[in-house]
Amino acid sequence: MNIKRALTVIIAASMICSTLVGCAQNNTEPVDASTKAASTEEVTQSQSTEPSTTQKIEDSTEDTTESTEQSTTAVTTTTKPTSTTKPTSTTRAATTRSIKSTTKKSTAKKTTAKKTTAKTTKKANVKKVTTTASKTTTTVSTTKQETDIKITLGKNGSATCDSQNVSINAPSGLETDGAVYIEKGGSYVITSSVDDWHGQIVIKLANTEQADIRFENVNISTKKANAIKILDTNITAERSFIEADLSVTSSTGTDGDNALQDQMKEVAKIQKAPNVDLSFPTGTKSTFKTGANSMSGVIYNESKLTIKGNGAVEITATTNRNNTICSTKSVTFKNVNALLTTPGYGSASALSSARGIFSFSKVIVESGNLTIHSNGDGVRCEEFISLGGVTNIHSTASDGIDADDAINVTGGKLTAIALNKSAFKVRRVNNQESINAGDKTIEAKDGITKADHTFKIDGGTVAGEGKNMTTPKKRSDLQSLSKQPCIYLRSAAPGTENAKLALVFNIYADNSVFASSSNSCIKFLYSSSSIDTSKKYTVNGHNKKDYPGEVVFAGNFGDCKVTTV
């Protein structure tokens, strides 16, 4: 009996111990899970804060996703206790706080990750745009540098250039001048490492090509016929006249000047021509000189030539009868400050008859300042056009402007002084002599054949002082008349032209001087928009004594003959 009781007590005690152990396990497991969630949260926080703004956008997005997944796992672990026993109120509160804290921090981390991603993306985009702009700027700069072909002139007629478009002949043997050949269109920059370069620049282009040759403080002097020679490679005509000296005569026995014109005439017949700009940048001054016994010019040209830039250039022929510019095509001046000087300038005798510009086409002044000092004609051309700028021409032994077809002025300030010949001469208007131009010959007896053979002044300011002069006056066979008024004064005396007195002319309006000649001359022409044809203008021609006169207008042309004794 006692044995049965003892077994019963042992079994009961065993059951009680088992029950107590189960309760102890149920009370501690939720706490362990909460602790585990807190630990997970710490890991999540550490991982979600690892990405920085310097990392790639893809890494930031990947870390954000990983953080979210870890937070979700932590929450799931906390809300599923392993026992069916209900947690205590203390345990439930701790669990709820853990869930809220984890969710709130996870959401904050996610928002921060999104902001970080957006900022990183924005910074990446800005950086990308900046890089692109930088690349674009670099590309433009590189293209410009590649476009300009650089030629450097050096000692003893040498030169250097890396382009295949340029070939160089250095002096050899008895030669003292080098030569640089530009043989393809494009943009070129010529500089010099010496004060005075001895040589010649030769530009050889097809008539479909164009070139811009920029001179930056370059001084060229040569004993060859031309410092600058521009050739049209499509022309196969004989060009021996370029290097010919004064002893050369034509087949008809005429002198070198006529031989030059006869052969240039053949080249001038070709209509197409290259386009060449000789440019002189702002702040630079370049000079070209020749001492050759030739007449083909310091610059010989077979292109449509423009001399331009806000810099300065001086073109000087120093020996015999050489012209400064000799051209078969048009010559245009734009913005540049140009001074052209021929041999013999300053002498009243025709020592050289060298011309400032000799062209078989047009000479055009668009802007800038052009000054020509010559012994021969200041300009000899088919047509002279002034659109703007300031042009001063002084010939000490010949004509100021001698044009075959026309002188047309629409703007600018033009002054021509030729005290021994004509300040302005338009041959086909004067109808005084045979004119040989190109392939056509017009005899004096043929008269005027075209309405544009004229001297027209439609704007600007014009002053001419000379022994003779073509006037912008309406003729019975010309329908055009200058739009701008002009005043033409002339000294009149008995006997021949040589007996006439040269006078300093003063034009008065309202008892004050309106305009004056700068020299004593036989004929003076003045035109300006300020002339009022309804006003009364009087004249005082002075040479030791005064000779009065009065201007009489017929249309826009005012005439005054001052009689001297």
Side-chain angles (χ1 to χ4, degrees), residues 357-518:
I357 302 174
F358 177 54
S359 172
F360 270 80
S361 187
K362 298 177 181 179
V363 174
I364 305 167
V365 180
E366 286 191 13
S367 54
N369 291 274
L370 171 62
T371 302
I372 300 176
H373 292 159
S374 67
N375 181 254
D377 297 335
V379 177
R380 176 76 175 90
C381 62
E382 286 197 347
E383 182 177 359
F384 182 89
I385 300 172
S386 175
L387 302 175
V390 177
T391 304
N392 288 295
I393 300 171
H394 185 197
S395 173
T396 53
S398 195
D399 300 317
I401 299 176
D402 183 350
D404 285 345
D405 288 337
I407 297 175
N408 290 319
V409 183
T410 58
K413 183 178 180 181
L414 170 61
T415 301
I417 300 172
L419 303 179
N420 287 287
K421 287 290 187 69
S422 293
F424 301 114
K425 179 194 284 185
V426 182
R427 297 190 176 209
R428 291 175 186 162
V429 171
N430 279 353
N431 198 21
Q432 295 174 345
E433 54 189 297
S434 299
I435 307 298
N436 296 305
D439 58 350
K440 56 187 177 181
T441 300
I442 301 176
E443 300 293 339
K445 60 184 176 61
D446 295 330
I448 303 297
T449 58
K450 289 167 59 179
D452 58 355
H453 293 161
T454 185
F455 181 11
K456 288 179 63 177
I457 303 175
D458 291 339
T461 301
V462 180
E465 303 172 19
K467 186 177 181 180
N468 207 342
M469 196 176 308
T470 298
T471 60
K473 182 180 179 181
K474 185 175 181 180
R475 294 165 52 99
S476 59
D477 47 12
L478 283 176
Q479 299 304 311
S480 59
L481 178 65
S482 295
K483 296 177 182 178
Q484 182 168 279
C486 65
I487 295 175
Y488 174 56
L489 311 179
R490 51 202 167 110
S491 171
T496 65
E497 188 76 15
N498 291 332
K500 295 177 181 178
L501 292 177
L503 304 174
V504 174
F505 290 102
N506 297 301
I507 304 172
Y508 291 86
D510 301 325
N511 296 319
S512 61
V513 175
F514 176 72
S516 299
S517 65
S518 57

Side-chain angles (χ1 to χ4, degrees), residues 55-198:
Q55 287 182 302
K56 293 182 180 179
I57 299 172
E58 291 83 4
D59 293 340
S60 178
T61 305
E62 185 177 338
D63 290 343
T64 303
T65 305
E66 183 179 353
S67 175
T68 304
E69 289 176 352
Q70 289 175 348
S71 297
T72 304
T73 303
V75 172
T76 303
T77 303
T78 304
T79 55
K80 290 184 179 181
T82 56
S83 174
T84 57
T85 305
K86 290 185 180 181
T88 62
S89 60
T90 303
T91 302
R92 285 198 300 270
T95 301
T96 303
R97 284 197 301 271
S98 177
I99 293 172
K100 288 182 179 180
S101 176
T102 302
T103 304
K104 183 177 181 180
K105 288 184 179 179
S106 177
T107 304
K109 304 297 181 185
K110 187 174 181 181
T111 304
T112 303
K114 286 183 178 179
K115 289 182 179 179
T116 302
T117 301
K119 288 181 179 179
T120 305
T121 304
K122 185 176 180 181
K123 287 184 178 179
N125 290 337
V126 171
K127 185 175 182 181
K128 185 176 181 181
V129 171
T130 305
T131 304
T132 304
S134 177
K135 287 182 179 178
T136 303
T137 304
T138 303
T139 302
V140 172
S141 177
T142 304
T143 302
K144 185 176 180 181
Q145 290 176 354
E146 290 176 353
T147 300
D148 293 336
I149 298 173
K150 296 184 179 180
I151 302 170
T152 303
L153 308 179
K155 293 180 179 180
N156 302 318
S158 65
T160 57
C161 181
D162 295 333
S163 174
Q164 294 181 349
N165 296 352
V166 178
S167 59
I168 298 168
N169 288 345
S172 61
L174 298 177
E175 282 285 332
T176 57
D177 289 1
V180 174
Y181 295 87
I182 296 173
E183 298 173 320
K184 191 172 181 181
S187 179
Y188 298 82
V189 179
I190 300 180
T191 60
S192 180
S193 62
V194 293
D195 292 337
D196 195 15
W197 186 73
H198 300 287

Side-chain angles (χ1 to χ4, degrees), residues 230-307:
I230 305 171
L231 301 176
D232 181 350
T233 57
N234 292 95
I235 296 175
T236 58
E238 174 62 40
R239 293 192 185 84
S240 59
F241 63 88
I242 295 177
E243 300 291 340
D245 61 28
L246 296 180
S247 63
V248 175
T249 59
S250 69
S251 58
T252 59
T254 55
D255 63 13
D257 188 34
N258 287 332
L260 173 72
Q261 293 188 52
D262 290 343
Q263 293 178 72
M264 281 186 65
K265 189 188 305 181
E266 296 303 313
V267 177
K269 288 180 182 180
I270 310 300
Q271 295 299 313
K272 293 186 69 176
N275 288 281
V276 175
D277 293 348
L278 300 184
S279 302
F280 303 91
T282 302
T284 67
K285 180 180 179 180
S286 295
T287 64
F288 307 136
K289 294 181 182 180
T290 61
N293 191 29
S294 177
M295 293 178 294
S296 56
V298 180
I299 296 178
Y300 173 77
N301 172 61
E302 293 177 356
S303 72
K304 296 176 181 177
L305 176 63
T306 300
I307 300 175

